[in-house]
Amino acid sequence: MSYSDYCDYFSGGVPPGIMFKMTLADLQELLRIAPKKEGIDRASEILFVGLISYFEGFLKEVFASAINIDNTLLNNLGEKGQDVSIDSRRLLVYGENVYKKLGFVVSEKFDFGTAKKINLLYLALLKVSPFSKDAVKLFDKLLTDRNLVVHHGSNYTLSYLEQTKAASIENAYWNCLIVDQEYFCNAFKFIEETSNKLVNFVSTALHSRFTVEDLHPTPVQIEATDALAEWGP
């Protein structure tokens, strides 16, 4: 089997678990060399924003890769009310490899912006949930904090404090959210554990689907499904 056959299902030719683990390692290295500060820590803020942003991309990559490997998953999404229609002209660029790229094109239109939306998409796709009930609350809190950093420079707003009750509303426009190295490390651990579990869930669910639905995958599809579970170099 040639390398090109194996990598066609994945963005950049690399399984998303491997790519994301490498990204996490880069963030850890940046944290290691960053000066530790008391109070406002801009380096940790930037690393935190990057962590959540890269994680959102990872969630979409895993989702798309599963569809690339098994195009019939589009039926699952459609049956659950997800819009899987696309502009067919966009597929022309892929030529004979179009069936290995469908997931990328379809996934661009989906909103992975909250834990609830992410769970609904993955449940429709393969009956797996990236987030447990408690994890939904934690991830949505991380998203809310990320948005505060990105859109308000970490400064407390009335809406943020009313939603999170992180502090008294008198702190709005006076104090700010502190994202320090400890905060980042806690978020990092949660994201890392969730990501590792997800690639295993999706790979296992795909293998099970091949058997239950009697789909007769090719050796390359089986190899790609195994690779989907790989986590880091």
Side-chain angles (χ1 to χ4, degrees), residues 149-219:
V149 175
V150 171
H151 299 296
H152 301 283
S154 299
N155 296 314
Y156 284 145
T157 63
L158 281 171
S159 58
Y160 174 88
L161 293 178
E162 288 169 348
Q163 179 182 352
T164 65
K165 296 180 172 59
S168 171
I169 59 173
E170 284 79 13
N171 286 277
Y173 313 110
W174 184 256
N175 288 325
C176 66
L177 174 70
I178 299 298
V179 178
D180 55 16
Q181 290 194 3
E182 180 180 4
Y183 179 104
F184 172 79
C185 288
N186 288 334
F188 184 97
K189 181 179 179 181
F190 168 75
I191 295 298
E192 183 177 39
E193 291 176 351
T194 301
S195 304
N196 195 354
K197 290 177 183 177
L198 178 62
V199 290
N200 281 284
F201 288 163
V202 172
S203 177
T204 299
L206 268 178
H207 276 302
S208 177
R209 176 176 170 80
F210 291 152
T211 301
V212 173
E213 302 294 334
D214 196 24
L215 295 179
H216 304 290
T218 66

Side-chain angles (χ1 to χ4, degrees), residues 3-11 13 68 97 100-101 104:
Y3 177 76
S4 60
D5 288 337
Y6 171 80
C7 74
D8 276 347
Y9 295 103
F10 305 116
S11 178
N68 291 341
N97 278 331
K100 298 179 181 179
K101 308 297 182 182
F104 297 140

Side-chain angles (χ1 to χ4, degrees), residues 23-41:
T23 300
L24 292 178
D26 288 341
L27 294 178
Q28 282 184 308
E29 176 60 18
L30 290 171
L31 179 69
R32 185 187 69 80
I33 63 178
K36 189 169 184 179
K37 296 179 61 179
E38 297 293 333
I40 295 174
D41 185 343

Side-chain angles (χ1 to χ4, degrees), residues 90-185:
R90 303 187 70 193
L91 302 178
L92 295 177
V93 297
Y94 295 117
E96 63 182 13
N97 278 331
V98 62
Y99 295 108
K100 298 179 181 179
K101 308 297 182 182
L102 277 174
F104 297 140
V105 180
V106 172
S107 297
E108 283 187 19
K109 69 190 303 176
F110 292 136
D111 183 359
F112 288 75
T114 67
K116 181 179 179 181
K117 291 177 179 178
I118 293 164
N119 271 354
L120 285 174
L121 284 167
Y122 271 95
L123 283 169
L125 186 75
L126 276 168
K127 299 180 181 179
V128 299
S129 298
F131 301 105
S132 66
K133 184 177 180 179
D134 289 339
V136 164
K137 296 178 181 179
L138 179 53
F139 183 61
D140 281 344
K141 175 59 165 58
L142 292 177
L143 284 176
T144 301
D145 288 354
R146 189 278 303 270
N147 291 340
L148 187 73
V149 175
V150 171
H151 299 296
H152 301 283
S154 299
N155 296 314
Y156 284 145
T157 63
L158 281 171
S159 58
Y160 174 88
L161 293 178
E162 288 169 348
Q163 179 182 352
T164 65
K165 296 180 172 59
S168 171
I169 59 173
E170 284 79 13
N171 286 277
Y173 313 110
W174 184 256
N175 288 325
C176 66
L177 174 70
I178 299 298
V179 178
D180 55 16
Q181 290 194 3
E182 180 180 4
Y183 179 104
F184 172 79
C185 288

